[in-house]
Amino acid sequence: MAKVGLKDIAEQAGVSIALVSYVLNGQAVQKQVNHDTAIKIKQVAKELNYQPNQIAKSLKTNKTRTIGLVVADINYRFSTGITRAIEIEAKKNHLTVIYGSSNENRENLAELITTFINHRVEGLIVVPVDNSQEEIRMIQRADIPFILVDRNFPELETNYITLDNYKSAYNATKHLISLGHRKISFINYSTTSFHFKERNRGYMDALKDHQIKFNKNWLQEVSNSNRDEEVPVAMNAILSLDEPCDAVFFATDTLTLNGLKYLIKHNIKVPDQISVLSFDESEAFELFYSSITHSRQPLDEMGKLAVKNLLNLINHKKIEMHVHLEASLVLGDSCYKK
């Protein structure tokens, strides 16, 4: 079946091709097209199932109505949550989102950025990976509006929307302290990422501000690539101390799941023998016999703000925007009061 063009619509509506172009490109009022004529043209276009040539249109207007999204790992709950929120908000603004996952790899990130630039996206929303400052500078050199989400680099002047990781970790640790815990472990990733370091700082400051003397063995850091093997080692370390930890705070939902597997395997009861708190949530927590107390990140708000502010950047270019959102603490049964 032949593709319907402006000429076909013009012939059936009995008008000029120019009038059809004005109406379908949203210029009817500007070009003073008669109201009834505009309605007739739209009706004929609908009847003929007219599909505009977006590529030709974007070349003419220099606008593709597409934005690129790079997430760190599509398997993370954060990634699926933020992607969904961004897609919903983008649709409201008549934008198409094309996205990919860097899998926490700098080369993948660079390749995705290059691909999106070549596809002439109007802007980028990026969850950067460790040590990817040069890749972010590459976007700056391309002069494409972009926003960093979830993670940022303090040494780079960029627009970003992140969680207040320091405050979220501080409040979570403070909650455990309020329940009477004084031997609290924090299991985090061994990384240079600023947001994970901020979680360490929040945990440490909460202990300090509540006059709890820190034991260096309480802070355990593991590698993301070897998490399955290293989390059990970390759990052994905090539970084999002369005074074992009575609470464990995990920096991510994935670390929490590894920790829960260890506790199940060793028949250590939650919360009777140890309290468990997770920085983030996971649907898999529902399979555990004790509901997990966790920090909930405002993914919907983060996604909406990312799209709205990216549009502001696209339309106005120079905007300085540094947004820090707060997590809420969702109470479960995994933490006990001493």
Side-chain angles (χ1 to χ4, degrees):
M1 185 176 179
K3 184 176 178 65
V4 175
L6 299 184
K7 183 179 179 181
D8 301 304
I9 299 171
E11 288 178 353
Q12 185 153 329
V15 298
S16 69
I17 295 176
L19 278 182
V20 174
S21 177
Y22 295 153
V23 171
L24 298 184
N25 284 310
Q27 297 177 300
V29 175
Q30 180 185 342
K31 298 295 184 178
Q32 299 181 330
V33 179
N34 178 275
H35 179 69
D36 292 337
T37 301
I39 291 177
K40 182 178 181 180
I41 290 171
K42 289 178 182 178
Q43 184 60 38
V44 170
K46 184 176 181 182
E47 290 172 358
L48 295 178
N49 194 28
Y50 170 70
Q51 299 295 323
N53 186 332
Q54 293 296 345
I55 295 176
K57 187 176 179 180
S58 68
L59 288 171
K60 186 176 180 180
T61 64
N62 203 32
K63 291 185 179 297
T64 61
R65 301 304 294 171
T66 61
I67 58 175
L69 168 63
V70 182
V71 296
D73 189 334
I74 200 64
N75 292 316
Y76 289 168
R77 184 189 177 280
F78 174 90
S79 296
T80 55
I82 198 72
T83 299
R84 183 164 50 246
I86 287 171
E87 284 182 323
I88 290 172
E89 190 63 26
K91 187 175 182 180
K92 290 179 184 177
N93 289 278
H94 310 292
L95 293 169
T96 298
V97 182
I98 52 177
Y99 60 89
S101 172
S102 67
N103 292 315
E104 301 284 6
N105 182 282
R106 283 185 59 190
E107 290 183 3
N108 291 345
L109 176 61
E111 186 176 331
L112 283 168
I113 290 170
T114 301
T115 299
F116 289 150
I117 290 173
N118 290 339
H119 277 74
R120 303 177 69 249
V121 296
E122 292 190 52
L124 286 169
I125 298 173
V126 179
V127 179
V129 304
D130 271 7
N131 303 310
S132 59
Q133 290 91 329
E134 184 53 39
E135 285 67 32
I136 302 308
R137 291 189 185 98
M138 181 170 72
I139 305 175
Q140 291 175 326
R141 288 193 294 269
D143 197 29
I144 290 179
F146 73 98
I147 290 179
L148 301 185
V149 173
D150 185 44
R151 310 168 184 180
N152 69 294
F153 302 104
E155 68 273 24
L156 294 182
E157 185 53 48
T158 62
N159 291 303
Y160 61 80
I161 300 171
T162 65
L163 188 73
D164 189 333
N165 288 278
Y166 171 84
K167 188 172 183 180
S168 298
Y170 185 100
N171 288 341
T173 307
K174 182 180 175 181
H175 172 70
L176 291 171
I177 294 170
S178 72
L179 296 177
H181 294 288
R182 292 295 180 272
K183 297 182 286 295
I184 304 168
S185 172
F186 187 46
I187 298 182
N188 196 357
Y189 286 119
S190 176
T191 174
T192 61
S193 290
F194 179 68
H195 68 300
F196 281 127
K197 293 299 183 185
E198 283 292 274
R199 295 179 193 183
N200 280 356
R201 192 168 70 88
Y203 158 74
M204 297 284 288
D205 279 1
L207 296 180
K208 180 181 178 181
D209 290 349
H210 291 83
Q211 290 76 53
I212 297 176
K213 186 178 180 181
F214 173 66
N215 182 328
K216 65 178 182 180
N217 294 301
W218 293 353
L219 178 59
Q220 295 285 324
E221 294 185 319
V222 304
S223 65
N224 185 28
S225 59
N226 201 33
R227 185 180 64 238
D228 292 347
E229 289 73 30
E230 292 185 25
V231 170
V233 174
M235 293 295 291
N236 278 330
I238 66 171
L239 294 175
S240 61
L241 296 170
D242 291 339
E243 294 185 34
C245 290
D246 53 18
V248 56
F249 175 21
F250 294 97
T252 71
D253 56 325
T254 47
L255 288 170
T256 305
L257 291 174
N258 283 108
L260 293 178
K261 289 177 184 177
Y262 173 93
L263 295 173
I264 292 171
K265 181 178 179 181
H266 292 83
N267 197 31
I268 299 172
K269 299 300 181 185
V270 176
D272 300 351
Q273 294 172 266
I274 190 168
S275 287
V276 171
L277 193 151
S278 174
F279 192 91
D280 210 343
E281 59 189 310
S282 169
E283 290 182 0
F285 289 171
E286 296 176 12
L287 302 176
F288 195 66
Y289 59 80
S290 179
S291 55
I292 304 298
T293 296
H294 60 272
S295 295
R296 175 174 289 163
Q297 298 194 53
L299 299 183
D300 287 344
E301 184 181 2
M302 195 176 287
K304 288 178 183 177
L305 285 173
V307 174
K308 287 180 178 178
N309 286 298
L310 181 61
L311 278 171
N312 283 336
L313 284 170
I314 291 169
N315 295 327
H316 306 292
K317 297 295 183 182
K318 297 284 184 179
I319 295 177
E320 289 188 11
M321 181 195 58
H322 301 155
V323 179
H324 300 273
L325 301 177
E326 291 188 23
S328 56
L329 193 62
V330 180
L331 302 181
D333 300 322
S334 63
C335 298
Y336 70 95
K337 188 166 185 175
K338 297 192 70 177

